[in-house]
Amino acid sequence: MKQALVSDLIAALGGDLVGASDVAISAIAPLEDAGVDAISFLSNPKYEAQLATTRAGCVIVHPKQAEAAAARHGAGTTASCIVTPDPYLYFARLTQWWAAHMRKPRAAPAIHPTATVAADAVIGRDVEVGPHAVVESGAVLGDGVRIGAHTIVEQDARVGAQTRLEPHVVFGRDCVIGERSLIHSGAVIGADGFGFAPTKGEQGVEWVKIEQLGAVRIGDGVDIGANTCIDRGALGDTVIADGVIIDNLVQIAHNVKIGRGTAIAGAVAIAGSAEIGANCIVAGAARINGHIKITDGVQIGPTANISNSIDKPGAYAGMWPFEDAASWQKNAAALRGLYELRQRVRALEKKTT
């Protein structure tokens, strides 16, 4: 089992040390589960009491918890603490360092013998193509790209340097993704958008398919979750800007545009030609209608149904109708007492008749 000293972590990630620097760490764990060989973190002050009971060999804490950390050591615990202004961010960077330095090293990048790579595909340096993967004609893979087992990169698609496509991804023809991005297993990028023209047939309505002639353009540093689907544009492209993070099981329809740094949680559905601004947050199972625009800096609550454009930053919630979150919470609270209020009104009506 690999181990790192707390001093190694400080050297790599910074922070101020409280306690011993030679504590050996072999795991990252929650405060309540951590053993003496684990490092944990405290980002929410309401859990500060757990500092006194955790067995973690090292805890990452905010300066406001530094005194409690020092008291922990004063009580005789043979452990350390790392003091930093943002423990959760430090934890995130720690996980990246851990994945790079503490896991079993990967084999040297190579194209697996069972993979199929077209003769005219452009393959950069240090590219890995996994078992039974397919790279079609005209595709371009940048330096350091990793293509997982059974993944397909279709004709004329382009994958930027250091981007990773996990196993069983379909990356459609003409689609583009930038550098340092990640697509998780089961995602389909560039399926046809849901475009059909109705016509009257002999047995009722028939649907005539509209060929989807656009593509999907994805920026740098984008993370796309498992089994998410992003449809190609009907004419222009579906566009996902730099730094967007998308959870599992999200549906993004044709010609949607999503701005830089926006976060979209699981089971969200975004209808065609909707535009979402930069630095927005869309919570789980929210629904966004087609052809509407949402400005920058909007937070949409879980299961909200956004039926109209939003031109003012802020928090919005509610299934029907949606409104600003504060108003919706007040109305929801009133709704809980609606039956009791109805009974009281009935009782008063009986007294007055």
Side-chain angles (χ1 to χ4, degrees):
M1 181 182 296
K2 284 190 174 184
Q3 291 185 328
L5 299 179
V6 171
S7 57
D8 298 329
L9 306 181
I10 294 282
L13 303 172
D16 297 321
L17 177 67
V18 176
S21 64
D22 59 352
V23 176
I25 301 297
S26 59
I28 305 174
L31 284 170
E32 62 271 25
D33 298 329
V36 294
D37 63 340
I39 183 170
S40 189
F41 72 99
L42 174 69
S43 61
N44 191 332
K46 73 179 184 179
Y47 299 117
E48 184 175 322
Q50 293 185 14
L51 284 177
T53 57
T54 183
R55 298 175 62 240
C58 183
V59 178
I60 305 162
V61 296
H62 187 272
K64 291 182 179 179
Q65 279 74 50
E67 184 176 346
R72 176 173 178 255
H73 298 293
T77 304
T78 56
S80 298
C81 288
I82 298 173
V83 181
T84 178
D86 191 337
Y88 196 63
L89 178 61
Y90 196 104
F91 160 72
R93 290 175 174 159
L94 171 63
T95 62
Q96 294 180 359
W97 183 91
W98 199 271
H101 294 87
M102 301 295 284
R103 287 178 175 172
K104 180 181 178 181
R106 294 181 61 88
I111 296 176
H112 195 273
T114 63
T116 301
V117 179
D120 64 345
V122 178
I123 309 298
R125 296 171 298 173
D126 300 323
V127 168
E128 177 182 332
V129 181
H132 303 286
V134 176
V135 181
E136 293 186 348
S137 175
V140 178
L141 307 183
D143 294 345
V145 163
R146 283 171 47 193
I147 305 297
H150 297 274
T151 283
I152 300 174
V153 180
E154 292 186 343
Q155 184 174 346
D156 297 321
R158 300 195 300 278
V159 181
Q162 308 301 321
T163 285
R164 188 166 87 240
L165 276 55
E166 295 287 20
H168 296 280
V169 168
V170 176
F171 195 73
R173 69 186 189 280
D174 299 320
C175 293
V176 178
I177 187 168
E179 300 181 357
R180 305 176 307 281
S181 293
L182 172 62
I183 304 179
H184 289 274
S185 295
V188 177
I189 310 300
D192 280 354
F194 195 57
F196 296 85
T199 185
K200 186 176 181 180
E202 294 181 358
Q203 298 182 3
V205 176
E206 295 181 358
W207 299 96
V208 179
K209 183 175 178 59
I210 300 170
E211 290 296 333
Q212 305 293 287
L213 304 179
V216 178
R217 288 191 288 116
I218 301 170
D220 298 336
V222 173
D223 196 303
I224 298 172
N227 294 316
T228 281
C229 295
I230 304 177
D231 292 343
R232 65 177 58 250
L235 296 176
D237 295 337
T238 302
V239 179
I240 312 296
D242 295 348
V244 170
I245 55 174
I246 301 171
D247 198 1
N248 303 334
L249 296 168
V250 172
Q251 162 64 20
I252 298 175
H254 55 191
N255 297 105
V256 167
K257 292 179 171 55
I258 298 176
R260 181 184 180 93
T262 284
I264 300 174
V268 166
I270 304 172
S273 298
E275 297 185 22
I276 301 175
N279 302 312
C280 294
I281 297 174
V282 184
R287 300 292 183 265
I288 298 174
N289 280 16
H291 299 276
I292 67 172
K293 294 184 179 182
I294 296 173
T295 193
D296 299 347
V298 167
Q299 297 90 47
I300 296 172
T303 72
N305 183 17
I306 307 303
S307 53
N308 299 303
S309 294
I310 298 175
D311 58 10
K312 182 180 178 181
Y316 296 82
M319 294 188 67
W320 186 263
F322 84 93
E323 56 189 333
D324 70 272
S327 296
W328 184 83
Q329 288 167 358
K330 292 175 183 176
N331 289 332
L335 187 62
R336 291 193 197 100
L338 186 59
Y339 179 78
E340 181 182 351
L341 177 62
R342 174 174 174 267
Q343 297 301 99
R344 290 170 60 189
V345 169
R346 282 190 169 183
L348 289 171
E349 287 174 341
K350 288 180 179 179
K351 288 181 179 180
T352 57
T353 56

